Amino acid sequence: MDPEIGTISKSLKRNSWKATLLLAYQSLGVVYGDLSISPLYVFKSTFAEDIKHSETNEEIFGALSFVFWTLTLVPLFKYVFIVLRADDNGEGGTFALYSLICRHANVSLLPNRQVADEELSTYKYECHPETTNRSRIKIWLEKHKTLHIALLIVVMLGTCMVIGDGILTPAISVFSAVSGLELSMSKEHHEYAVVPITCFILVCLFALQHYGTHRVGILFAPIVLTWLLCISGLGVYNIVKWNPHVYQALSPYYMFKFLKKTKKGGWMSLGGILLCITGSEAMFADLGHFSYTAIQIAFTFVVYPSLILAYMGQAAYLSEHHSLYTSYQIGFYASVPECLRWPIIGIAILASVVGSQAIISGTFSIINQSQSLGCFPRVKVIHTSEKIHGQIYIPEINWMLMILCIVVAVGFRDIKHMGNASGLAVITVMLVTTCLTSLVMILCWQKSPFLALAFLLFFGSIEILYFSASLIKFLEGAWLPVLLALFLMTIMFVWHYATIKKYEFDLHNKVSLDWLLTLGDKLGIVRVPGIGLVFTDIISGVPANFSRFVTNLPAFHRILVFVCVKYVPVPFVPPSERYLVGRVGPPYHRSYRCIVRYGYRDVHQDIDSFETELLASLSDFIQLEASITEQRFSESVDSYENGLTVVGSNLLTHHTNCNTARSTLQESMEDELSDKNTVELAPVSAGKKVRFFLEDNTNSPTLSGPAREELEDLLTARESGCAFILGHSHVKAKPGSSIMKKLAIDIAYNFLRRNCRGRDVALRVPPASLLEVGMVYVL
């Protein structure tokens, strides 16, 4: 979940205690907003229907014991001490676990994997496969493609439940905070006040998303810290005033007494107790924006004791108040002194907004990550802050979330039903995390399968208990996350299936390089000025959409670049390693291939910087090839197709030379090309670094004549402009396909394709420079 505050420069992430404490403080406003507001509705949901608060206090003490041990075992032991260590280059979350598994075992369904990807600095192994014994589980997992599909479905399930939580958490958080008005207003009035006020706050919350919250994000940590101090102070006050011996309920013996007395009703009420750990997943999902130590300190020394004191205080108050006949009389606000009720309501509403903001940002982030796996229709991703990476906004998703949140608040109008729905979504994500972490233990950490099995059984059994208690409430609200998950998983699976099939179609129908080289004046083909960027999904060969383009319009640009934008199972690809460049044909043909690599947390840059960096990378490649004369590429067609180079560029500040007679465009372009480092992967041995300078003097011996001529052609073509050639796909199922395949391709996928953003929007291509080539895919 991407934060709206707390992203500071990497220099603060050094191992100093001041930097760590600052990160711990900032994490309060990002990571713990959702978790810290759970006392508003836990006991209220627990005692809503299945069990009653009696004179013996066995129910309230048993519920407190369950809350204490659940908070201790799941967030503290599971997440803080184990799961947080399963990071991917410092990043956490469902996709981080899946990325680690895909790198250590060949289980990814995306077919564009290259050996060169393993040379990325972020593509690091916990234990390199070549230096460790291949376990039977890894061999078994790689052997069966059905298991690859099952693993992806599990990841999709966790993703869909996070999106569902993005709908439910804002509704239940804001509704619970506003419900404090019940004790300060008459029944006739609060029934008509709580829901409208909740809807108004939700509308304001979503309406302000497109501005970003970097301007007010600095207030998030103080709000959550103030809230935690309030609930812990109220807890201490209620313990001292009403029942100083409530600490005895922390004994696990009271859990046994609770279940013995309440039987089935007590088991069903666990769905309410489960809500005490909502938001725990954020500790892992937001790991990349803070540090392992900072999150440990913030939870262990601030959040955890504050929550325990808050729940103990509520239990102490309820242990001396048994004549409670309405649900709101057993809620959080009942234990708040009347003189403090209004200020506490105000702070609670602010804290609920902060918690909701975190889950909304997290929903944007995970949908953006889903696109990287080809599992979600294209949406427009907008950066809301130029300085803080990760602050993104997705317009269509934002308004859909707002409508669904309001529908949930108006439709349920009851914390019990909202809690049942939210609890099932939360516990499902935790189960997915437990399963994936156990695989990471075996495949990445090289731990014993028995240790991974022990982890899976211990924490999985706890979560299965809560999952069953939530699922039994299917008709009382739990149906909502199930329905949302089925709907979203259908969309994701259909989109992913069609994406893979389209890639296979492109791969089987690509044109040979010989065909491209035979195109010339004899066939009436004209090379026009400018640069043609042909976007394709395949990483080798000439795409079929280009042959269709040339067939209908017998001309193409003087500089031709086949661009493949692909995603690698890493969180980020460093800019210096983003571009993989090679030739398509001999140098005189002026055709190149550029593979642009992104991680699952990367966001596409704007088209101007993308175009500049791509052309700078081409120039780097030309200079590299010219400088290593003893290792020149072979003139064979195969070497042109297979020789790819990682080209890294550090764009420098502009400098001018008064003695030059070149144009401003040439001058700026050559300035961009100076002081660049490249790493040759093929055919030159990996690891060789060369630094180049493009001299102002045109007679410089640094570059050979053909290389300088090629650079001048590139500069001249850039003056003429770039054209972006994209395929516009029309997809249909093969004749004789099954009914399910026809429904998935002809109806579902085509409906999604027509109603999602076009590829030109996702890539931010300017309409004036766009050329679309129609392609019919028969899958």
Side-chain angles (χ1 to χ4, degrees):
M1 300 175 187
D2 287 337
E4 300 303 323
I5 64 159
T7 307
I8 61 175
S9 62
K10 292 183 179 179
S11 60
L12 284 178
K13 293 191 176 183
R14 61 186 184 276
N15 295 322
S16 68
W17 63 271
K18 288 184 179 179
T20 302
L21 290 179
L22 178 59
L23 285 171
Y25 167 73
Q26 291 180 325
S27 71
L28 293 175
V30 177
V31 178
Y32 301 109
D34 188 14
L35 185 62
S36 64
I37 58 177
S38 56
L40 288 172
Y41 44 77
V42 168
F43 283 148
K44 191 172 182 178
S45 299
T46 304
F47 291 92
E49 185 177 273
D50 302 303
I51 57 175
K52 301 298 180 183
H53 177 40
S54 67
E55 296 283 345
T56 62
N57 287 328
E58 290 182 350
E59 294 86 358
I60 191 64
F61 282 3
L64 175 60
S65 185
F66 264 105
V67 166
F68 171 76
W69 286 105
T70 302
L71 277 171
T72 303
L73 293 176
V74 178
L76 187 61
F77 287 170
K78 175 189 167 183
Y79 280 95
V80 171
F81 293 114
I82 300 176
V83 175
L84 287 183
R85 297 181 182 276
D87 66 289
D88 180 11
N89 291 278
E91 297 292 329
T94 304
F95 280 94
L97 294 171
Y98 184 63
S99 173
L100 282 172
I101 293 170
C102 288
R103 295 212 300 272
H104 288 79
N106 188 18
V107 295
S108 175
L109 293 177
L110 291 177
N112 57 358
R113 185 173 181 176
Q114 292 174 281
V115 176
D117 297 335
E118 298 183 15
E119 300 296 330
L120 288 168
S121 58
T122 50
Y123 203 105
K124 63 181 182 180
Y125 294 101
E126 297 288 336
C127 298
H128 200 281
E130 296 179 359
T131 60
T132 55
N133 295 324
R134 289 171 58 86
S135 66
R136 293 182 179 179
I137 293 178
K138 180 179 178 179
I139 296 172
W140 177 64
L141 194 61
E142 291 179 336
K143 184 179 180 181
H144 298 88
K145 189 176 180 181
T146 307
L147 296 177
H148 304 177
I149 298 173
L151 181 62
L152 181 64
I153 290 175
V154 169
V155 173
M156 286 182 180
L157 177 62
T159 302
C160 293
M161 285 299 182
V162 170
I163 298 172
D165 198 27
I167 296 169
L168 296 165
T169 293
I172 189 174
S173 299
V174 176
F175 189 91
S176 300
V178 176
S179 66
L181 299 173
E182 292 174 331
L183 294 178
S184 303
M185 301 173 66
S186 63
K187 182 178 180 181
E188 291 76 13
H189 289 90
H190 75 68
E191 287 182 350
Y192 301 101
V194 173
V195 174
I197 292 174
T198 299
C199 293
F200 174 76
I201 294 174
L202 289 174
V203 169
C204 293
L205 177 63
F206 284 98
L208 296 174
Q209 290 299 313
H210 72 282
Y211 292 108
T213 55
H214 50 279
R215 293 182 181 89
V216 296
I218 195 171
L219 300 175
F220 286 179
I223 288 172
V224 175
L225 182 59
T226 302
W227 170 249
L228 290 171
L229 292 176
C230 286
I231 61 175
S232 57
L234 286 170
V236 173
Y237 167 79
N238 285 316
I239 292 170
V240 173
K241 182 176 181 179
W242 300 111
N243 190 350
H245 301 288
V246 72
Y247 67 88
Q248 296 175 355
L250 302 183
S251 168
Y253 172 70
Y254 283 89
M255 290 193 292
F256 172 75
K257 290 183 66 177
F258 173 83
L259 292 176
K260 182 179 180 181
K261 180 178 180 180
T262 57
K263 297 181 173 60
K264 183 180 178 181
W267 167 62
M268 294 176 67
S269 71
L270 294 179
I273 294 173
L274 161 66
L275 298 177
C276 72
I277 54 175
T278 56
S280 299
E281 186 73 20
M283 286 192 288
F284 184 45
D286 284 334
L287 179 61
H289 301 285
F290 302 99
S291 68
Y292 174 72
T293 307
I295 290 181
Q296 269 191 324
I297 291 173
F299 182 78
T300 307
F301 297 104
V302 180
V303 180
Y304 177 74
S306 297
L307 291 175
I308 297 300
L309 287 174
Y311 289 116
M312 289 177 66
Q314 287 188 66
Y317 174 84
L318 294 174
S319 67
E320 298 297 324
H321 296 78
H322 303 98
S323 300
L324 304 174
Y325 304 103
T326 56
S327 63
Y328 62 83
Q329 287 180 321
I330 206 169
F332 169 79
Y333 291 107
S335 62
V336 178
E338 191 170 352
C339 61
L340 298 176
R341 195 164 291 159
W342 282 104
I344 294 296
I345 289 174
I347 298 172
I349 291 175
L350 291 175
S352 67
V353 168
V354 172
S356 301
Q357 176 61 50
I359 191 66
I360 293 169
S361 299
T363 304
F364 293 156
S365 178
I366 202 163
I367 287 175
N368 182 53
Q369 294 173 40
S370 299
Q371 289 186 104
S372 69
L373 284 179
C375 292
F376 203 86
R378 290 182 295 268
V379 291
K380 185 177 182 180
V381 180
I382 300 172
H383 285 279
T384 59
S385 174
E386 296 180 358
K387 297 181 180 179
I388 304 177
H389 180 81
Q391 288 195 8
I392 60 175
Y393 168 69
I394 304 177
E396 48 266 61
I397 300 300
N398 182 68
W399 302 121
M400 288 180 185
L401 288 178
M402 185 191 75
I403 293 171
L404 290 173
C405 278
I406 292 174
V407 168
V408 169
V410 175
F412 284 154
R413 287 178 288 181
D414 181 19
I415 290 179
K416 178 187 71 173
H417 289 86
M418 293 184 198
N420 293 338
S422 179
L424 184 61
V426 167
I427 200 62
T428 304
V429 176
M430 290 185 174
L431 271 170
V432 169
T433 299
T434 301
C435 294
L436 295 180
T437 304
S438 62
L439 277 178
V440 168
M441 287 181 172
I442 298 173
L443 301 175
C444 307
W445 297 350
Q446 300 294 321
K447 300 296 182 183
S448 167
F450 295 105
L451 182 62
L453 182 63
F455 171 84
L456 179 64
L457 291 178
F458 181 76
F459 291 105
S461 60
I462 297 172
E463 291 158 358
I464 285 290
L465 175 66
Y466 283 116
F467 179 81
S468 63
S470 297
L471 196 60
I472 201 67
K473 300 292 186 68
F474 183 82
L475 299 178
E476 299 173 24
W479 57 269
L480 182 59
V482 174
L483 182 64
L484 286 172
L486 287 175
F487 177 72
L488 291 170
M489 283 187 69
T490 301
I491 291 175
M492 295 172 76
F493 195 81
V494 166
W495 190 268
H496 186 269
Y497 174 77
T499 300
I500 297 297
K501 290 298 181 182
K502 283 177 63 180
Y503 183 90
E504 293 174 354
F505 182 90
D506 283 335
L507 203 61
H508 293 150
N509 291 276
K510 66 181 180 180
V511 182
S512 67
L513 190 57
D514 291 331
W515 173 87
L516 177 66
L517 298 179
T518 57
L519 295 177
D521 297 335
K522 294 181 181 179
L523 299 177
I525 302 296
V526 179
R527 300 295 290 268
V528 298
I531 301 174
L533 303 179
V534 183
F535 283 82
T536 174
D537 291 327
I538 59 176
I539 57 178
S540 62
V542 179
N545 64 343
F546 179 71
S547 65
R548 186 176 180 86
F549 172 77
V550 175
T551 301
N552 289 275
L553 184 65
F556 56 92
H557 297 81
R558 181 72 183 111
I559 303 294
L560 189 65
V561 186
F562 295 100
V563 181
C564 174
V565 177
K566 61 174 284 189
Y567 288 88
V568 186
V570 296
F572 300 104
V573 174
S576 60
E577 303 174 37
R578 189 176 304 284
Y579 297 93
L580 194 61
V581 183
R583 287 194 183 277
V584 179
Y588 67 83
H589 201 269
R590 301 294 192 262
S591 299
Y592 311 90
R593 181 178 312 284
C594 184
I595 299 174
V596 189
R597 301 178 291 184
Y598 288 93
Y600 56 84
R601 279 192 177 270
D602 279 325
V603 180
H604 287 287
Q605 66 266 52
D606 62 87
I607 200 66
D608 292 332
S609 63
F610 174 79
E611 179 184 332
T612 300
E613 291 181 15
L614 188 144
L615 297 181
S617 299
L618 287 178
S619 182
D620 268 354
F621 170 75
I622 295 168
Q623 294 179 71
L624 171 65
E625 188 185 34
S627 66
I628 312 177
T629 54
E630 71 277 7
Q631 298 188 42
R632 295 288 295 180
F633 290 109
S634 167
E635 295 297 319
S636 68
V637 169
D638 290 338
S639 66
Y640 295 135
E641 186 64 12
N642 298 325
L644 293 172
T645 305
V646 172
V647 180
S649 60
N650 298 313
L651 300 183
L652 297 182
T653 56
H654 180 74
H655 69 272
T656 57
N657 189 334
C658 299
N659 297 323
T660 61
R662 292 171 302 197
S663 67
T664 304
L665 180 61
Q666 288 175 318
E667 182 179 288
S668 61
M669 182 67 180
E670 292 183 358
D671 287 337
E672 288 170 358
L673 302 181
S674 63
D675 194 18
K676 306 211 176 88
N677 61 328
T678 62
V679 182
E680 179 69 14
L681 289 184
V684 181
S685 60
K688 183 172 183 178
K689 297 184 179 180
V690 188
R691 182 178 292 272
F692 298 99
F693 295 91
L694 186 59
E695 303 291 343
D696 290 335
N697 184 4
T698 54
N699 297 320
S700 171
T702 304
L703 294 176
S704 62
R708 180 163 291 279
E709 182 182 350
E710 192 171 358
L711 281 175
E712 290 173 353
D713 285 347
L714 183 63
L715 293 168
T716 304
R718 187 186 184 188
E719 288 182 334
S720 301
C722 285
F724 297 82
I725 304 171
L726 275 68
H728 185 80
S729 59
H730 301 271
V731 183
K732 60 181 181 180
K734 288 181 180 179
S737 300
S738 64
I739 296 177
M740 288 298 295
K741 185 174 181 179
K742 288 182 178 179
L743 287 173
I745 299 296
D746 294 343
I747 298 178
Y749 178 77
N750 280 316
F751 175 80
L752 293 172
R753 182 185 55 80
R754 287 192 300 268
N755 290 278
C756 74
R757 298 278 189 172
R759 192 175 182 184
D760 56 321
V761 177
L763 294 172
R764 296 181 175 85
V765 175
S769 304
L770 175 65
L771 290 173
E772 287 191 300
V773 182
M775 278 291 297
V776 178
Y777 289 84
V778 182
L779 307 181

